[in-house]
Amino acid sequence: MSPLFTIPLWIDLAAVAVGGVQGAMFAARFTDNRLDLLGVGIIGIVVGLGGGFGRDILLGLPPAALQSNGYLIVATAAALLGMLLLRVFSRLGPVIIGLDALTIGLFGAIGSSKALAMGLPEVPAIFVGVVAAVGGSVVRDVMLNLPVALMHVGSLYAVAAGVGTATLVVAASLGLPVGAAAIACVVVTTLIRVLAISFGWSLPEQRALSGWQTWRRRR
């Protein structure tokens, strides 16, 4: 099936670049893990490409990163840049947080836009966008042997991506140009993620199982 519209290659590569820089900067800060430069670079590349892989697999497409030389080259260069930036600047916590939020927004927007272009209904398009948005960070955390941020209190990864991609899909269904809807998605997702970190917003912690055990003892 031919797509209803085409996402420009430079937009996809820009998302890969932002993800690569953020991933390398994130990994380089974890000195306790004793990562060498190759390890940091690999994390950057994985973050840059992970969301796109998940998106294309769900859509039944060959991964775009394997269809063009540009993706791997950009991801590698971005990872190297991320390592350089961390060595030049010692206090880049806010920058990493901002890039992380921007990465989620970009991959979510591209994922949902590509799903709509392939003719998917609205709800599956949102799902594809969320998977694309959080895919790179999930693989990053697993490779670094860290708790997966998506699954823990205080991240709002999936919430930010879900609200952002839903904004895109609703706006597109109301007739707004996909480009404008995608920009709205990036802005909404980035703002929610940054504000959640700044003000400590989170979903309620799961306590149902412990409550069930207490109820059983009382019985």
Side-chain angles (χ1 to χ4, degrees), residues 205-218:
E205 186 175 354
Q206 170 60 272
R207 299 184 182 276
L209 292 179
S210 60
W212 167 252
Q213 296 296 332
T214 301
W215 179 83
R216 290 192 63 185
R217 286 196 296 268
R218 289 177 178 175

Side-chain angles (χ1 to χ4, degrees), residues 116-131:
L116 291 175
M118 297 300 297
L120 265 67
E122 290 80 1
V123 173
I126 294 173
F127 176 73
V128 171
V130 172
V131 171

